[in-house]
Amino acid sequence: GWHEEAANLEIWQQFRQVLVYATDIYLDFDTNFSPFNVGLPIRLPSLSEKQVKALAQRYGLDKQFDEANIHAFMALVGGMPHLVQLAMYHLHKEEWTLEEILEPGLTQYIVYGSHLETLENKLNDHPELLVVFQEVVASGEAMPLNGIVAKKLEGLGLIKRLGMKMIQVNCHLYQKYFEV
C-alpha cells in the first residue's frame, strides 16, 4: 500500500523499505497475485571457499578447515549459506568436529536432519515437484528443465541453474539424501 501511495503523495516518494522473504513460500502461492512483486528480487548466492574460510576464522574454527577439509565441505554443502551456518553452529558449540560432519551417516543427519526432513515434507506435499526432482537426482548430472517447476525447485534451494535451461542438484548432501 505504501508503494502505491508514492504515486499519489510526495511524502511517500521519499520512503524506502527493504523486505526480505524466503522463496519457498511460492510453492503454495499464486505468483500472479503476489504481494512480493514490487521491487527488485536479489538472490543470495552460494558462499565461495574463501568466504567459508573467513567465516570459519571468525568462529575460531580455521584449524579444522584445512585444504582437504574445505574442499570436502564445499562439495557437501555447495556453499549454501544456510547449510554452512548449520555446520558452523555445531562446530562452534563443539558438538562435532568437521571430520565427523563430513562423514556420511548419523552425524550428517543430526546436523542437517531437520532441514532435510522439511524439504522432504515440502516435496511430498507437492508430488509434481517430487517426481521431477527424483528425475534430477537419478540422472546424477545436469539436465534440461525450465518453467515453473524449475523455479519452485530452485526456490527451495534443491537445484541450481547452469545457464538458461540446464539444472542440477544443488549439493552432494541433497544428492545423497534424496537418492531413491
Side-chain angles (χ1 to χ4, degrees):
W2 295 332
H3 176 76
E4 297 301 322
E5 286 296 316
N8 302 319
L9 298 172
E10 187 176 333
I11 188 75
W12 285 109
Q13 293 172 7
Q14 298 172 23
F15 180 73
R16 298 292 179 262
Q17 181 178 16
V18 175
L19 176 67
V20 178
Y21 58 92
T23 55
D24 60 352
I25 62 161
Y26 282 133
L27 291 179
D28 297 314
F29 215 69
D30 184 352
T31 56
N32 296 317
F33 300 101
S34 172
F36 305 121
N37 61 4
V38 174
L40 173 68
I42 300 172
R43 195 173 301 280
L44 185 62
S46 294
L47 300 173
S48 68
E49 192 173 294
K50 184 178 177 180
Q51 290 171 318
V52 171
K53 283 183 179 182
L55 185 59
Q57 186 176 19
R58 289 189 176 112
Y59 271 100
L61 301 168
D62 44 319
K63 291 180 183 169
Q64 291 193 53
F65 284 84
D66 60 20
E67 284 301 310
N69 283 345
I70 189 70
H71 294 306
F73 182 70
M74 292 301 287
L76 178 67
V77 301
M80 294 178 64
H82 180 64
L83 300 180
V84 170
Q85 179 59 33
L86 283 173
M88 296 290 179
Y89 171 79
H90 288 283
L91 292 168
H92 182 70
K93 289 189 67 164
E94 298 181 351
E95 295 175 337
W96 308 102
T97 65
L98 184 55
E99 288 79 12
E100 290 170 325
I101 290 175
L102 293 174
E103 185 67 33
L106 181 60
T107 306
Q108 271 186 8
Y109 183 75
I110 291 170
V111 172
Y112 297 113
S114 178
H115 173 69
L116 293 168
E117 287 173 353
T118 299
L119 290 173
E120 185 174 24
N121 289 338
K122 287 183 181 194
L123 286 173
N124 287 333
D125 289 344
H126 299 275
E128 72 283 3
L129 297 179
L130 178 61
V131 169
V132 173
F133 186 62
Q134 285 175 334
E135 291 174 14
V136 176
V137 168
S139 77
E141 55 190 45
M143 62 180 278
L145 180 67
N146 58 5
I148 193 71
V149 172
K151 184 174 183 150
K152 288 181 178 184
L153 290 173
E154 185 180 26
L156 285 170
L158 291 168
I159 64 165
K160 61 182 169 185
R161 291 183 187 262
L162 306 171
M164 291 298 290
K165 295 184 180 183
M166 298 297 285
I167 57 123
Q168 71 179 32
V169 177
N170 209 347
C171 64
H172 187 70
L173 179 68
Y174 294 165
Q175 179 71 38
K176 289 299 176 193
Y177 183 79
F178 289 102
E179 279 180 341
V180 179

